[in-house]
């Protein structure tokens, strides 16, 4: 039972920690348990540590623990979400404006908490929020990302999509490193271990993703569009409709993948991490929402009477739809201090068959989210 509970306990821990942070903006928990002296000590925390990590199970010629039990870090984070609709090789891209935050983190034996501040949000310039929860160990781990963002604009025509567009979602990623005795995943991302010699590992992972995109097309938006169309009073009275306007979509998928990760140690104090993991979609549901807009007005001084009729079309699942996760990390460390930078990207590709008549040609959807973090830390 203890052997199986070792794998179940981190998931339970993730769930309860998530409940603590849902209502809080800019807070992130990172747990990267150290295996040192896992069998020593009494009490609840030592028991929990033994359940999660077990005894030391890595090769000390390849992996070591850093000096000190405590660490404090300052970091700068940048995040952006892209959507590409590609019809007959013509791209129609939208993205949100670059999100950035400045944070501070404190950890003890790899278990830590961080607080990040988005100064644009403090100044009332954005309402975006992203929450993170991470658990990393040499053998397995994962992360949870909950996001609620807006400010999407069309990068092709440099115009806002609307005033009220919004993307809400959640993404859960897990990994398992088969060569965990010599390869350390947290050495690249939570810095609770040090990779002494170069090593790589085949990795496998399970991922869940859900988003709900609304382009902000409400009655006020359509009213403004119609005012611009019918600016000449000779058109009145008016009674007509606009049909098949893409106004949003919802995406669900569960993916299973395998790839390879490598920690290169070209010098004693330097490590470079590169990993890639393509995945197939075991389960997928994508629903496209289209508006039919019925409107009328008697004269130029009368506001348009607008009725929105929503239609939903479920996209068929295609076996060649896929997800790909890529990561790059660079760490330079001294005995007490370290400087790091990493780049993480997720891309999903989903074909949209059967909708050619709406888009005017064969269409696919590509989503890309990237996150970059720069960190300066000190151990004591």
């Amino acid at each position: 039972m203890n052997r199986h509970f070792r794998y179940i306990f981190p998931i339970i821990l993730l769930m309860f920690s998530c409940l603590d942070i849902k209502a809080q903006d800019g807070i992130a928990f990172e747990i990267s348990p150290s295996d040192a002296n896992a069998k020593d000590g009494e009490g609840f925390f030592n028991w929990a540590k033994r359940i999660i990590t077990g005894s030391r199970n890595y090769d000390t010629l390849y992996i070591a623990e850093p000096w000190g039990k405590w660490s404090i870090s300052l970091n700068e984070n940048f995040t952006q979400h892209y959507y590409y609709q590609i019809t007959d090789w013509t791209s129609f891209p939208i993205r949100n404006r670059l999100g950035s935050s400045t944070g501070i983190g404190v950890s003890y034996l790899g278990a830590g908490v961080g607080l990040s501040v988005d100064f644009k949000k403090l100044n009332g310039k954005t309402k975006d929020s992203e929450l993170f929860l991470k658990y990393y160990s040499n053998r397995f781990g994962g992360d949870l990302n909950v996001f609620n963002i807006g400010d999407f604009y069309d990068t092709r025509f440099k115009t806002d999509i609307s005033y009220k567009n919004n993307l809400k979602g959640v993404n859960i990623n897990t990994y398992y490193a088969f060569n965990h005795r010599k390869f350390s995943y947290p050495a690249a991302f939570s810095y609770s271990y040090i990779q002494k010699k170069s090593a790589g590992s085949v990795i496998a992972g399970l991922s869940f993703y859900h988003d709900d995109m609304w382009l902000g097309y409400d009655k006020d938006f359509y009213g403004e569009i119609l005012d611009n169309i019918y600016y000449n009073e000779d058109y009145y009275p008016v009674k007509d409709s606009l049909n098949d306007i893409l106004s949003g979509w919802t995406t669900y998928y569960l993916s299973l993948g395998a790839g390879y990760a490598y920690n290169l140690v070209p010098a004693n104090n330097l490590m470079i991490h590169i990993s890639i993991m393509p995945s197939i979609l075991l389960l997928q549901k994508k629903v496209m929402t289209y508006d039919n807009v019925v409107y009328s007005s008697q004269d130029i001084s009368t506001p348009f009477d607008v009725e929105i009729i929503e239609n939903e079309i479920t996209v068929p699942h295609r076996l060649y739809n896929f997800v790909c996760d890529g990561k790059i990390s660079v760490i330079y460390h001294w005995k007490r201090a370290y400087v790091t930078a990493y780049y993480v990207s997720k891309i999903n590709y989903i074909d949209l068959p059967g909708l050619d008549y709406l888009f005017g040609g064969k269409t696919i959807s590509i989503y890309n989210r990237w996150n970059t973090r720069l960190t300066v830390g000190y151990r004591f």
Side-chain angles (χ1 to χ4, degrees), residues 114-286:
L115 175 65
S116 297
V117 177
D118 185 339
F119 291 102
K120 289 191 298 183
K121 189 166 186 176
L122 291 180
N123 294 331
K125 295 181 179 180
T126 181
K127 296 182 179 180
D128 294 357
S129 63
E130 296 208 38
L131 305 178
F132 298 90
L133 179 63
K134 303 174 183 179
Y135 174 89
Y136 294 147
S137 72
N138 290 332
R139 178 177 295 181
F140 66 93
D143 56 73
L144 168 69
N145 173 216
V146 181
F147 50 89
N148 185 352
I149 58 176
D151 295 329
F152 276 85
Y153 67 98
D154 189 320
T155 62
R156 189 182 183 192
F157 297 105
K158 307 299 182 183
T159 58
D160 289 335
I161 299 299
S162 69
Y163 301 117
K164 303 176 183 178
N165 58 77
N166 182 251
L167 175 68
K168 297 179 180 179
V170 59
N171 184 208
I172 302 173
N173 302 297
T174 64
Y175 71 86
Y176 184 90
F178 290 89
N179 188 24
H180 51 83
R181 286 185 54 81
K182 295 182 179 181
F183 168 82
S184 175
Y185 192 92
F189 295 100
S190 62
Y191 326 119
S192 57
Y193 290 94
I194 293 176
Q195 187 81 43
K196 297 168 63 177
K197 296 175 63 176
S198 299
S201 176
V202 174
I203 54 175
L206 191 68
S207 178
F208 171 77
Y209 177 84
H210 162 61
D211 71 21
D212 190 354
M213 180 71 178
W214 179 53
L215 296 177
Y217 299 167
D218 58 8
K219 290 185 177 181
D220 293 336
F221 174 83
Y222 286 122
E224 292 183 15
I225 296 298
L226 293 169
D227 285 338
N228 291 330
I229 295 174
Y230 295 98
Y231 60 90
N232 191 323
E233 61 180 282
D234 292 340
Y235 288 110
Y236 292 90
V238 173
K239 186 174 183 180
D240 206 342
S241 65
L242 302 171
N243 298 318
D244 297 329
I245 302 172
L246 178 64
S247 59
W249 54 83
T250 300
T251 310
Y252 296 89
Y253 67 72
L254 181 68
S255 64
L256 176 65
Y260 193 77
Y262 191 76
N263 287 344
L264 173 67
V265 184
N268 288 337
N269 292 20
L270 177 65
M271 192 197 83
I272 302 171
H273 168 94
I274 300 176
S275 62
I276 187 168
M277 183 166 63
S279 305
I280 60 172
L281 303 188
L282 300 178
L283 300 172
Q284 172 212 308
K285 183 177 181 181
K286 191 174 185 74

Side-chain angles (χ1 to χ4, degrees), residues 279-310:
S279 305
I280 60 172
L281 303 188
L282 300 178
L283 300 172
Q284 172 212 308
K285 183 177 181 181
K286 191 174 185 74
V287 179
M288 313 294 288
T289 302
Y290 292 87
D291 290 347
N292 289 335
V293 182
V294 180
Y295 59 92
S296 63
S297 181
Q298 294 301 313
D299 54 61
I300 195 170
S301 62
T302 304
F304 280 91
D305 181 20
V306 177
E307 179 184 1
I308 301 174
I309 303 173
E310 291 188 350

